[in-house]
């Protein structure tokens, strides 16, 4: 079994009309044994900027703390908030620095830029960055997530419709993966604020 799937997990982000959504499951496992159903994989870094980390749980928490530290330094030095594209590049460099002993996590960056347009990017564990216009996925059931997103995604969705699409895609995908699931959480980011809703999934 790959170290990337040791703890399990699924993260998905999708763009809408002047909004963006990011969702993850809540399971923390040790291979096929479930340890917790309340593990956080999506983190708020600023009011309009979130990062999702799927992979080894210890590296997820290490990366989250490191990102918060680096963002704090940036804001002290630059006296402004970090834009999503800047965070994506910084995270890519941070991962590539450790390429010979990498962090076992595949991040997703989701947020709104200065014009309130959606920004989505994802990268592998050594920071090979890709920016997408529609959706990005990460975790142990990426095949399932891609299939659901390609079926359900429509451009320019309103926030309520985007929530429904993300929730259906996430729950349908993790139901077919033994390493992820046990409910989920969806964050919808708009220029007016963030709406967070929890999903109840199959408890098996």
């Amino acid at each position: 079994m790959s170290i990337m799937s040791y703890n399990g997990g699924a993260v998905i982000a999708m763009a809408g009309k002047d909004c963006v959504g990011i969702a993850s499951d809540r399971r923390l496992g040790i291979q096929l044994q479930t340890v917790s159903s309340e593990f956080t994989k999506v983190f708020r870094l600023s009011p309009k900027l979130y990062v999702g980390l799927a992979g080894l749980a210890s590296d997820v928490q290490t990366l989250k703390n490191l990102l918060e530290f680096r963002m704090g330094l940036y804001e002290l030095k630059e006296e402004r908030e970090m834009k999503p594209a800047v965070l994506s590049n910084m995270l890519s460099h941070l991962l590539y620095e450790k390429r010979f002993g990498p962090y076992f996590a595949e991040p997703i960056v989701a947020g709104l830029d200065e014009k309130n347009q959606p920004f989505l990017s994802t990268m592998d564990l050594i920071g090979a960055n890709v920016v997408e216009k529609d959706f990005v996925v990460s975790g142990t059931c990426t095949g399932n997530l891609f299939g659901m997103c390609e079926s359900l995604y429509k451009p320019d969705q309103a926030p309520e419709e985007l929530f429904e699409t993300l929730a259906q895609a996430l729950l349908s995908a993790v139901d077919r993966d033994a390493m992820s699931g046990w409910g989920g959480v969806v964050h919808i980011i708009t220029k007016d604020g963030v709406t967070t809703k929890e999903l109840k999934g199959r408890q098996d």
Side-chain angles (χ1 to χ4, degrees):
M1 177 179 280
S2 162
I3 192 70
M4 294 296 292
S5 56
Y6 182 76
N7 296 120
V11 183
I12 173 177
M14 191 177 284
K17 185 173 175 59
D18 300 330
C19 62
V20 65
I22 183 166
S24 77
D25 71 326
R26 301 300 299 271
R27 180 183 184 273
L28 170 67
I30 296 175
Q31 296 183 357
L32 295 177
Q33 176 189 357
T34 299
V35 175
S36 169
S37 59
E38 294 181 355
F39 187 69
T40 305
K41 300 181 181 90
V42 174
F43 306 99
R44 177 186 184 271
L45 295 179
S46 77
K48 294 182 186 175
L49 183 54
Y50 279 64
V51 66
L53 299 166
L56 190 65
S58 54
D59 283 354
V60 164
Q61 293 176 323
T62 302
L63 260 180
K64 177 246 184 187
N65 291 334
L66 193 52
L67 279 173
E68 286 178 345
F69 172 70
R70 290 279 187 100
M71 276 196 77
L73 280 182
Y74 179 92
E75 285 168 13
L76 278 172
K77 186 179 175 185
E78 299 283 331
E79 297 182 354
R80 59 192 168 124
E81 283 189 350
M82 192 179 277
K83 296 173 187 172
V86 176
L87 176 76
S88 183
N89 286 327
M90 184 193 77
L91 183 49
S92 177
H93 285 114
L94 195 151
L95 292 171
Y96 191 69
E97 282 171 13
K98 301 282 188 189
R99 63 193 177 278
F100 299 116
Y103 293 111
F104 294 110
E106 294 180 337
I108 284 177
V109 176
L112 296 177
D113 63 17
E114 64 276 16
K115 296 177 182 173
N116 289 317
Q117 293 305 301
F119 177 90
L120 296 174
S121 79
T122 186
M123 56 202 80
D124 67 0
L125 72 171
I126 58 163
N129 197 1
V130 58
V131 177
E132 292 289 350
K133 292 273 191 286
D134 43 14
F135 53 82
V136 288
V137 303
S138 179
T140 53
C141 59
T142 51
N144 303 352
L145 286 166
F146 270 122
M148 289 307 302
C149 287
E150 284 164 4
S151 300
L152 300 174
Y153 174 78
K154 291 186 293 188
D156 295 333
Q157 295 178 95
E160 299 80 16
E161 197 179 2
L162 183 63
F163 164 75
E164 289 294 338
T165 305
L166 269 174
Q168 288 296 327
L170 180 72
L171 289 177
S172 298
V174 300
D175 277 354
R176 291 161 178 82
D177 178 39
M179 303 298 293
S180 54
W182 285 75
V185 60
V186 181
H187 306 277
I188 303 294
I189 307 157
T190 66
K191 64 179 188 296
D192 301 317
V194 179
T195 306
T196 300
K197 295 181 183 177
E198 293 196 2
L199 308 173
K200 186 169 171 59
R202 282 175 52 166
Q203 305 294 298
D204 61 357

